[in-house]
Amino acid sequence: MVEIRLKNSKSRRVEVLDPIIPGKVSMYLCGPTVYDRAHLGNARSAVAFDQLFRLLRHVYGAENVTFVRNFTDVDDKINARAAETGREISDITAETTQWYLDDMGALGVMEPTHMPRATAYIAEMVSFIEDLIARDHAYARDGHVLFRVRSFAEYGKLSGRSVDDMIAGARVEVAPYKEDPMDFVLWKPSADDIPGWDSPWGRGRPGWHIECSAMSHAILGEEFDIHAGGSDLLFPHHENEVAQSCAAGHAFARIWLHNEMLQVEGKKMSKSLGNFFTVRDLLDQGVPGGVIRFVLLGTHYGKPMDWTEKKREEAEKTLRKWYDAARPGGAVPEAVVAALADDLNTHAALAEIHRLGGADLGAALSLMGLWDGTVPDWATAFDVDLSAFEDRLRAARVTAMQSKDFSEVDALKTALLGAGVEVRMTKENVELLPGPDFDPAKLEDL
Ligand SMILES: [Zn+2]
């Protein structure tokens, strides 16, 4: 079996994936809070760990991988959106959940094995919290339940922070119901006009962190192989998940993976800078989902990435070429799997794919979530086989090297450039790529 190595945020080392149950892998990814469209940064996390899901299925067999990605459908941001718009909360969450599935589907993100909604696991959260209170790791006060951070000696280990530094560095306003400023909310009271559930502490709703501890436990058990999420979740969300689960006596996640953040043209994506894109914005502008996925996979998940117009153009050209050359029925070449198994090095995997053609290319593209066996409409807008021209140009160059007469080569190049084809000539190779202004009619007389 292929050995998969992953950089564990917990140990800060690259470790071999050694599943708890041999031959079976379990993974949990923190999913979206459903009140708005997913933006490009959200998509990065979904695509990166979809790629890991695909690799795991390839290596272990589809039936041996259990992947859980939750929907946070109880949250104050959702309540605020309902208050702003006068809409029902359930309408907002149902609509946004479907948007997320549609938009991620357009990026080739497969549906995980389980997609639990937080509101379907309130009973599990309540009993999880009761257990923490029984163990003295949590306390109830004024309708709230708080996690007693000082009771958990390992707090801060995952994110590499000490509790004292966190208190010194943060100007935490101490709520009257907190024993300690670091304590975080497991349960809070709900006013009549916002969602609430009956509990031993009165009508209320869960804090955000508890849902992932309760749902991963309910579906995957006390210990599972991989927990993933964006680096923005490392603290406090993941630190708090660890505190809750481990304080409840669970071993919890063995390997933690965090994807780095995304920028646009070198700047932080923000609404005020006018460079904020939702996935839907890009799809509506005509950027194909496969192109978005390609660009996202072009940077290793553990490195900050920059979304640029140039990368988008390059991705589109490359995919057009690949779709033209790909054939079904192949097996994924080992080098591609090896690149992915090396801490999900998608950048290196794409570089390997550049060498492939035919059925090998088709199989590799399928594993990357970039091909379902049919050429997407956007890539067939023109259907011209440039490889014949590549052959002609190569042959003309060989002749010209002997005769020292390059007029034929130059004439071909000029005609190709005139038709909007990008001509790349290296010592070893000739490569033709249709550019955005490609006009196949101009090649007919050649
Ligand atoms: Zn989570």
Side-chain angles (χ1 to χ4, degrees):
M1 189 170 293
V2 176
E3 189 177 88
I4 296 176
R5 277 155 287 127
L6 298 166
K7 171 97 186 279
N8 188 349
S9 313
K10 191 161 73 175
S11 64
R12 290 156 185 86
R13 279 200 295 268
V14 176
E15 296 176 12
V16 174
L17 174 64
D18 180 17
I20 298 157
I21 302 170
K24 290 188 186 293
V25 185
S26 49
M27 169 159 86
Y28 186 95
L29 169 65
C30 294
T33 301
V34 281
Y35 70 103
D36 210 346
R37 288 277 185 189
H39 60 67
L40 215 44
N42 305 135
R44 187 180 191 202
S45 182
V47 167
F49 298 116
D50 171 72
Q51 193 56 56
L52 179 58
F53 183 38
R54 286 169 181 272
L55 172 69
L56 293 170
R57 287 164 60 94
H58 180 80
V59 171
Y60 288 88
E63 68 284 6
N64 293 318
V65 183
T66 305
F67 176 29
V68 181
R69 187 190 67 207
N70 66 305
F71 283 111
T72 300
D73 62 347
V74 49
D75 189 279
D76 289 348
K77 290 199 250 345
I78 304 172
N79 301 340
R81 183 57 54 93
E84 270 161 46
T85 57
R87 297 180 62 198
E88 290 290 327
I89 283 176
S90 56
D91 288 350
I92 294 173
T93 56
E95 178 183 67
T96 317
T97 298
Q98 194 55 50
W99 282 349
Y100 187 82
L101 293 173
D102 292 345
D103 294 351
M104 294 308 119
L107 305 188
V109 173
M110 294 174 67
E111 291 204 351
T113 326
H114 301 276
M115 296 189 282
R117 289 175 301 114
T119 52
Y121 285 82
I122 299 291
E124 285 81 354
M125 293 184 219
V126 167
S127 65
F128 205 111
I129 295 169
E130 284 181 307
D131 185 35
L132 288 174
I133 293 174
R135 291 167 183 263
D136 259 350
H137 286 296
Y139 56 94
R141 195 139 315 158
D142 302 339
H144 294 75
V145 183
L146 291 120
F147 186 89
R148 189 176 274 130
V149 167
R150 297 277 184 190
S151 75
F152 183 66
E154 308 259 279
Y155 194 81
K157 218 175 156 196
L158 177 69
S159 58
R161 298 162 188 236
S162 85
V163 175
D164 291 328
D165 288 352
M166 283 185 265
I167 292 176
R171 287 195 351 216
V172 190
E173 228 178 280
V174 186
Y177 48 80
K178 281 191 181 184
E179 279 180 5
D180 186 285
M182 287 310 295
D183 294 350
F184 61 86
V185 169
L186 299 171
W187 187 266
K188 54 189 169 185
S190 289
D192 290 342
D193 57 342
I194 52 173
W197 290 262
D198 289 331
S199 80
W201 320 287
R203 185 176 177 276
R205 61 197 191 283
W208 170 34
H209 316 298
I210 192 69
E211 73 175 81
C212 291
S213 285
M215 292 191 291
S216 63
H217 179 241
I219 302 168
L220 298 175
E222 293 193 357
E223 187 177 22
F224 53 95
D225 295 305
I226 299 168
H227 192 315
S231 62
D232 54 334
L233 299 183
L234 181 56
F235 186 86
H237 183 55
H238 290 163
E239 194 70 62
N240 291 355
E241 282 187 33
V242 170
Q244 294 160 166
S245 293
C246 295
H250 308 164
F252 206 44
R254 279 199 180 175
I255 294 182
W256 282 86
L257 301 178
H258 288 95
N259 66 280
E260 263 305 329
M261 296 294 101
L262 175 140
Q263 296 194 320
V264 173
E265 305 286 355
K267 295 199 174 69
K268 190 175 189 294
M269 191 166 68
S270 81
K271 285 184 175 147
S272 61
L273 286 173
N275 66 350
F276 182 93
F277 302 117
T278 67
V279 172
R280 181 48 54 183
D281 290 337
L282 288 173
L283 294 170
D284 286 349
Q285 285 163 25
V287 183
V291 170
I292 299 173
R293 183 182 180 95
F294 184 110
V295 175
L296 293 175
L297 293 177
T299 302
H300 183 263
Y301 75 93
K303 294 190 175 128
M305 88 158 277
D306 195 16
W307 173 277
T308 65
E309 184 57 18
K310 189 161 173 286
K311 283 184 185 170
R312 187 198 62 72
E313 279 173 20
E314 289 289 324
E316 196 167 320
K317 276 186 212 170
T318 305
L319 281 174
R320 276 184 195 279
K321 200 181 74 159
W322 285 354
Y323 289 142
D324 191 42
R327 298 291 174 265
V332 185
E334 270 174 38
V336 175
V337 178
L340 293 176
D342 177 17
D343 193 27
L344 200 65
N345 194 338
T346 50
H347 177 79
L350 291 172
E352 285 295 333
I353 293 173
H354 272 287
R355 305 163 194 258
L356 305 175
D360 287 352
L361 174 61
L365 290 181
S366 298
L367 178 63
M368 299 304 285
L370 291 167
W371 198 49
D372 64 3
T374 58
V375 179
D377 286 344
W378 66 266
T380 54
F382 41 81
D383 190 14
V384 168
D385 187 5
L386 288 172
S387 64
F389 289 101
E390 287 175 349
D391 292 344
R392 269 177 67 183
L393 200 49
R394 264 185 224 113
R397 184 164 64 168
V398 171
T399 313
M401 297 292 268
Q402 285 160 358
S403 66
K404 305 290 174 210
D405 173 8
F406 283 84
S407 56
E408 168 76 14
V409 174
D410 290 340
L412 260 172
K413 269 173 70 175
T414 306
L416 286 161
L417 291 169
V421 177
E422 189 188 328
V423 180
R424 290 185 188 173
M425 295 180 81
T426 60
K427 247 186 265 172
E428 300 81 26
N429 200 17
V430 171
E431 201 179 13
L432 300 179
L433 297 168
D437 306 322
F438 179 47
D439 180 2
K442 291 190 178 157
L443 292 175
E444 273 167 23
D445 299 335
L446 265 181

